[in-house]
Amino acid sequence: DQQVKQNSPSLSVQEGRISILNCDYTNSMFDYFLWYKKYPAEGPTFLISISSIKDKNEDGRFTVFLNKSAKHLSLHIVPSQPGDSAVYFCAASAIYGQNFVFGPGTRLSVLP
Amino acid sequence: EAGVTQSPTHLIKTRGQQATLRCSPISGHTSVYWYQQALGLGLQFLLWYDEGEERNRGNFPPRFSGRQFPNYSSELNVNALELEDSALYLCASSLLQGKDGYTFGSGTRLTVV
């Protein structure tokens, strides 16, 4: 039973355009969410987080939106750059900062 | 500041053997997490250690075990290796209840033949 789902295994976007990566979760106890980026042969690196008391968090080109009623969050990258090409993982936690459950990842390809 | 370091980077074992994977957390981090990333799958939670104690484990059989040492480094042991144990094993560390999530190492690629 997958508690965190990323239904798009891959996404291709033109450089300069917006990338939107989606994540759905089933556990209503989740209240803290993270996005990680992973390049091949490297460990995932933390990108941005959001807690359930907010519906939006922004950091430079990256914005995460949370819709608690729909149990859905999304990561927006604007403008997309070729260096953003990586696998993006959504992660959720029911206890602040602990025991994150990861989604299967979405491979983003930003085309020049 | 050194990041999370894992060793070895690659490991090849025969079915039925035992594998030992090692992880050194970021200085000051007391929690160590182990995740498995099998081909085509996401990160599956294996184990969480904090202050030398196992705090939680994922849905894996008992032949996956580990420990955390007084210096907070950690070891993951996989006994009676099976072909499907072939995966990238990632270690991460954090302060307890670290709000910025985990810092991951680069992983150990375990291949069981």
Side-chain angles (χ1 to χ4, degrees):
Chain A
D1 176 33
Q2 223 173 25
Q3 297 187 72
V4 178
K5 304 176 186 181
Q6 293 177 257
N7 292 323
S8 298
S10 63
L11 175 69
S12 291
V13 169
Q14 210 67 37
E15 181 179 5
R17 300 288 192 118
I18 183 171
S19 296
I20 300 176
L21 295 96
N22 293 305
C23 177
D24 297 288
Y25 60 96
T26 57
N27 188 341
S28 57
M29 298 298 290
F30 287 150
D31 60 3
Y32 192 63
F33 306 89
L34 305 176
W35 282 94
Y36 279 85
K37 178 167 76 171
K38 184 180 185 301
Y39 294 116
E42 294 182 14
T45 54
F46 169 75
L47 204 52
I48 193 168
S49 65
I50 189 167
S51 72
S52 58
I53 61 172
K54 291 186 171 184
D55 55 16
K56 178 182 172 182
N57 189 24
E58 211 169 335
D59 183 2
R61 296 187 297 114
F62 302 91
T63 303
V64 56
F65 296 91
L66 175 63
N67 183 334
K68 278 208 77 176
S69 60
K71 296 192 183 68
H72 176 83
L73 65 156
S74 60
L75 174 68
H76 292 211
I77 307 173
V78 185
S80 301
Q81 300 173 353
D84 297 329
S85 297
V87 177
Y88 289 78
F89 292 98
C90 166
S93 169
I95 303 171
Y96 185 60
Q98 296 179 17
N99 294 339
F100 284 97
V101 178
F102 283 79
T106 296
R107 181 176 301 278
L108 173 66
S109 299
V110 179
L111 310 173
Chain B
E1 178 189 87
V4 176
T5 56
Q6 292 187 244
S7 63
T9 51
H10 292 85
L11 188 58
I12 300 175
K13 291 284 187 179
T14 305
R15 190 169 51 183
Q17 284 188 314
Q18 179 196 28
T20 299
L21 288 66
R22 296 180 176 84
C23 172
S24 292
I26 286 176
S27 177
H29 284 187
T30 61
S31 279
V32 170
Y33 307 82
W34 288 95
Y35 282 82
Q36 181 198 64
Q37 186 185 18
L39 193 62
L41 297 179
L43 305 178
Q44 307 293 318
F45 169 68
L46 266 165
L47 289 158
W48 168 33
Y49 292 96
D50 184 74
E51 297 285 359
E53 302 275 337
E54 182 181 300
R55 301 293 185 179
N56 200 5
R57 66 179 293 129
N59 190 23
F60 281 83
R63 57 192 186 80
F64 287 83
S65 65
R67 53 181 171 165
Q68 187 179 34
F69 299 98
N71 66 355
Y72 303 115
S73 67
S74 177
E75 216 172 66
L76 174 68
N77 295 295
V78 188
N79 294 320
L81 284 164
E82 299 179 2
L83 296 178
E84 52 264 33
D85 296 334
S86 296
L88 179 67
Y89 289 84
L90 290 161
C91 170
S93 73
S94 77
L95 297 169
L96 187 60
Q97 297 191 331
K99 67 178 178 64
D100 289 334
Y102 310 156
T103 302
F104 281 89
S106 298
T108 293
R109 171 73 62 188
L110 173 64
T111 303
V112 183
V113 297

